[in-house]
Amino acid sequence: MSEYLWWKHGVIYQIYPRSFQDSDGNGIGDLRGVIERLDYLNDGTPRSLGIDAIWFSPTFPSPMHDFGYDVSDYEDVHPDFGDMAMMDRLIEEAHKRGIRVILDFVPNHTSSHHPWFIESRSSPDSPKRDWYVWRDPKPEGSPPNNWIGAFGGPAWEWDQGTQQYYLHSFLVQQPDLNWRNPEVERAMHNVLRFWMDRGVDGFRIDVMDRILKAPALGDNPPQPNREWAKIVGQTALQVHDHDQNWPDIIDAARRIRKVVDEYPERMTVGEVFGAPAQIVAYYGGEQLDGLHLAFNFPFVRIYANRWNAEHVRKRVDGFEAALPAGGWPNHVLGNHDVDRFITRVNHDGRGRERARVAAMLLLTLRGTPFVYYGEEIGMENVAIPEAQLQDPARIYGRGRDPERTPMQWTRDGGFTNVEPWLPYGDLSVNVEAQERDGDSLLSLYRRLIWLRRGSDALRFGAYRPIDGLPEGAYAYTREQDGDRVLAVLNFTNDDIAIALPDALRPSEGLLGTHGTPEAAQRFTLKGNEGRLLRI
Ligand code: TEU
């Protein structure tokens, strides 16, 4: 039974609620807008995308300093998005279509406007003082340690009123909760129960890897390799030994799992960063009593030349090898924090071709695929005039507005009937046009997802990479109960002559990026071509 759980075989689609569909004419997306678009996501037929679950970036009340990742009330809905009644309706309408609902749980920090923090800040003797991380300055007045916030700048803010620093791993407006205080943990567990009682099916857990810090709050060592800092900013100048992946977070994950297991078939996916061994630790080891999934992020770090068969295979095999027995992989091509996929691999203008191979990869590998809204039509980063930029992360690192722009439904946008909160990109890229075009990226996504839905091999089957193919090609089989599917992908711009080993005799061409392939043993794989063959 445990083989056939929805969060293993299903495709999870991430919606950035501000940018999916505006229903009330304020230029900001909302929950009613999402309800109007549910049939696009899955109406039960291959005319729709066919996804199984939606993960919503935060929908809770928030002053929106970090666009909802600064929560001021965990148990309500931000008025920009709707109200609780609308959330209930959304859950009901989604469930009618067999779509599960995953909310974004933000445990590491609250908003500085959260009543808990307002109380905590009011006095050193406040009963909630210890709900956050307050410390005295060093003797000379400087912050307690050298930690840098994820968006840059010191991770400590001086509070004039109470003469102490508080920790904020992100913005000043995002004070870190103190998960070492059992009251905090209990309150946050109750947030999970609150939403599960309302029918929510799971949680994406924000910044899971930082909820507990090294108790001594020691200094982080400098990062010798400065390359990554050029992309993500100052935070990558340190090795986060003391404020990330601290070992006892895994036990906190186990306790979260226990709460979630009070309800049937719920799931959790943690946002964690680190080497494969650090990521898979969140699954809880051989017992698998930690999180159900922890994000496997290497694909979102692929820029330019890293899009090559060897690199991609290494990352896939590395994660497979690191997983504890019975652990389930997952793959992520994009999200609201990283450049759009095509933008990352468009150095020679062939990014759109690569997006087709990437779709085939994402949807045929073993593991839960995460699709970021707009990826299925090939939305790219949108160049936004300086004055319209909104993401505060841009101050020290890279702003994330370009990958958060409104969903492009029609030639005119179709997201809102007023000025959208962020500008559209190139509107020749839109759902309506791609629905009419059988060769579009959207059509390919639909075919891949529906093929996957009907194939136990693709959903649950064993993964076996194929050795001995020419450089530039990556191939693997997926097999379940004698049903075997082979994927052959060309990561280069050049033709590759493929001669499959004798043991792999194709009986049927299933699906291709360049039209339905023949069931051939030897064939020429065009540049950026992918083929799926039944063996
Ligand atoms: O992201 C955590 C995180 O580490 C990334 O934000 C990364 O450092 C940053 O995007 C670099 O540009 C999560 C959310 O996904 C993100 O949107 C939030 O801003 C952040 O947590 C704070 O809640």
Side-chain angles (χ1 to χ4, degrees):
M1 262 309 282
S2 72
E3 292 270 330
Y4 302 99
L5 292 167
W6 64 271
W7 53 267
K8 288 186 172 180
H9 68 68
V11 176
I12 301 181
Y13 186 87
Q14 181 189 355
I15 287 183
Y16 198 68
R18 286 181 88 76
S19 294
F20 200 60
Q21 181 63 52
D22 175 22
S23 75
D24 58 3
N26 62 357
I28 298 173
D30 48 53
L31 300 184
R32 193 168 55 194
V34 174
I35 294 173
E36 289 167 7
R37 294 295 186 183
L38 284 175
D39 283 339
Y40 164 79
L41 296 176
N42 196 343
D43 70 1
T45 77
R47 288 187 306 271
S48 63
L49 194 54
I51 55 99
D52 300 82
I54 305 172
W55 146 33
F56 290 96
S57 282
T59 45
F60 317 103
S62 161
M64 296 286 174
H65 292 290
D66 189 17
F67 292 101
Y69 285 96
D70 47 330
V71 180
S72 55
D73 181 354
Y74 288 100
E75 300 183 352
D76 207 343
V77 172
H78 192 290
D80 278 354
F81 300 136
D83 55 19
M84 280 304 262
M86 195 58 75
M87 179 61 92
D88 289 341
R89 233 192 90 201
L90 170 58
I91 294 169
E92 193 187 318
E93 290 293 325
H95 285 174
K96 264 191 214 161
R97 293 163 177 82
I99 300 174
R100 315 282 173 141
V101 174
I102 298 171
L103 296 188
D104 212 315
F105 179 53
V106 187
N108 182 69
H109 43 266
T110 68
S111 159
S112 53
H113 296 222
H114 195 294
W116 297 342
F117 187 69
I118 294 171
E119 166 61 47
S120 181
R121 190 179 207 166
S122 68
S123 152
D125 307 317
S126 156
K128 290 220 162 40
R129 188 65 169 180
D130 184 52
W131 279 42
Y132 293 84
V133 185
W134 292 96
R135 287 292 183 280
D136 289 332
K138 284 190 177 163
E140 76 283 7
S142 59
N145 66 27
N146 72 348
W147 297 356
I148 299 175
F151 301 137
W156 296 93
E157 178 73 1
W158 178 245
D159 181 55
Q160 195 56 33
T162 56
Q163 297 286 300
Q164 279 191 312
Y165 282 100
Y166 69 83
L167 177 66
H168 59 90
S169 296
F170 292 83
L171 297 174
V172 169
Q173 296 90 345
Q174 291 168 299
D176 282 43
L177 281 163
N178 174 20
W179 273 69
R180 297 208 176 274
N181 180 329
E183 286 176 33
V184 169
E185 186 167 51
R186 210 171 310 129
M188 294 305 277
H189 285 174
N190 283 335
V191 169
L192 299 172
R193 294 188 180 97
F194 174 88
W195 288 108
M196 289 189 288
D197 284 336
R198 296 193 92 96
V200 162
D201 301 284
F203 302 94
R204 178 264 187 185
I205 307 183
D206 188 63
V207 191
M208 182 67 205
D209 57 2
R210 287 179 185 247
I211 65 171
L212 293 166
K213 285 80 181 169
L217 306 183
D219 281 348
N220 282 327
Q223 169 62 261
N225 174 358
R226 311 243 122 185
E227 279 309 297
W228 199 242
K230 288 183 195 145
I231 293 173
V232 298
Q234 283 188 7
T235 179
L237 295 175
Q238 291 186 343
V239 182
H240 291 274
D241 280 353
H242 296 258
D243 62 350
Q244 202 169 26
N245 294 318
W246 190 255
D248 64 355
I249 302 182
I250 306 300
D251 287 322
R254 291 195 172 97
R255 294 190 294 270
I256 287 177
R257 173 63 176 264
K258 275 218 175 89
V259 173
V260 172
D261 279 350
E262 292 167 15
Y263 299 74
E265 282 204 32
R266 302 305 206 270
M267 71 82 80
T268 51
V269 52
E271 186 203 26
V272 299
F273 298 92
Q278 287 171 305
I279 309 293
V280 301
Y282 288 84
Y283 285 72
E286 297 297 318
Q287 306 298 317
L288 295 177
D289 57 356
L291 303 183
H292 300 76
L293 301 174
F295 279 132
N296 175 28
F297 277 143
F299 293 171
V300 311
R301 300 229 167 95
I302 287 184
Y303 282 83
N305 298 334
R306 280 201 198 178
W307 182 251
N308 70 70
E310 199 193 342
H311 177 85
V312 170
R313 176 175 168 181
K314 235 188 223 158
R315 302 299 135 165
V316 173
D317 292 358
F319 197 73
E320 284 276 0
L323 271 177
W328 190 248
N330 68 88
H331 303 281
V332 189
L333 215 52
N335 65 32
H336 62 295
D337 291 331
V338 299
D339 290 313
R340 289 276 184 183
F341 175 75
I342 292 177
T343 305
R344 278 184 272 128
V345 297
N346 208 20
H347 45 288
D348 57 0
R350 316 245 337 221
R352 299 199 76 80
E353 293 170 49
R354 295 188 179 103
R356 299 175 69 84
V357 180
M360 190 165 275
L361 174 76
L362 179 74
L363 294 162
T364 61
L365 280 174
R366 175 175 178 269
T368 308
F370 285 83
V371 176
Y372 184 49
Y373 84 97
E375 215 157 68
E376 73 276 26
I377 55 171
M379 280 172 60
E380 299 178 39
N381 274 23
V382 176
I384 301 170
E386 185 65 32
Q388 274 173 275
L389 288 174
Q390 315 215 18
D391 179 20
R394 74 181 186 285
I395 297 166
Y396 296 99
R398 58 172 298 275
R400 299 163 294 178
D401 303 287
E403 63 262 23
R404 297 175 175 181
T405 58
M407 181 67 176
Q408 303 185 168
W409 297 102
T410 65
R411 270 177 42 213
D412 311 314
F415 160 74
T416 181
N417 46 30
V418 298
E419 181 84 8
W421 79 286
L422 287 176
Y424 294 113
D426 169 7
L427 282 174
S428 68
V429 174
N430 69 69
V431 169
E432 199 180 59
Q434 294 196 21
E435 279 183 327
R436 281 195 309 258
D437 174 3
D439 292 327
S440 67
L441 184 59
L442 178 59
S443 296
L444 180 64
Y445 262 90
R446 285 181 178 170
R447 284 199 200 108
L448 281 164
I449 292 176
W450 283 91
L451 181 72
R452 184 188 162 92
R453 290 182 76 91
S455 163
D456 285 355
L458 288 178
R459 288 188 301 168
F460 320 116
Y463 157 85
R464 233 170 256 114
I466 309 298
D467 294 321
L469 291 183
E471 204 181 308
Y474 172 28
Y476 47 88
T477 54
R478 301 288 317 285
E479 179 172 0
Q480 174 88 3
D481 301 329
D483 181 19
R484 201 146 45 130
V485 175
L486 170 73
V488 193
L489 308 171
N490 184 349
F491 283 71
T492 75
N493 291 333
D494 305 318
D495 289 2
I496 297 182
I498 300 288
L500 294 175
D502 285 345
L504 298 176
R505 294 199 177 278
S507 62
E508 186 189 352
L510 292 172
L511 187 53
T513 55
H514 291 52
T516 309
E518 289 168 29
Q521 190 88 16
R522 295 166 171 275
F523 51 90
T524 301
L525 201 57
K526 295 205 178 73
N528 301 304
E529 180 178 356
R531 296 185 178 200
L532 289 181
L533 306 165
R534 192 184 304 283
I535 299 294

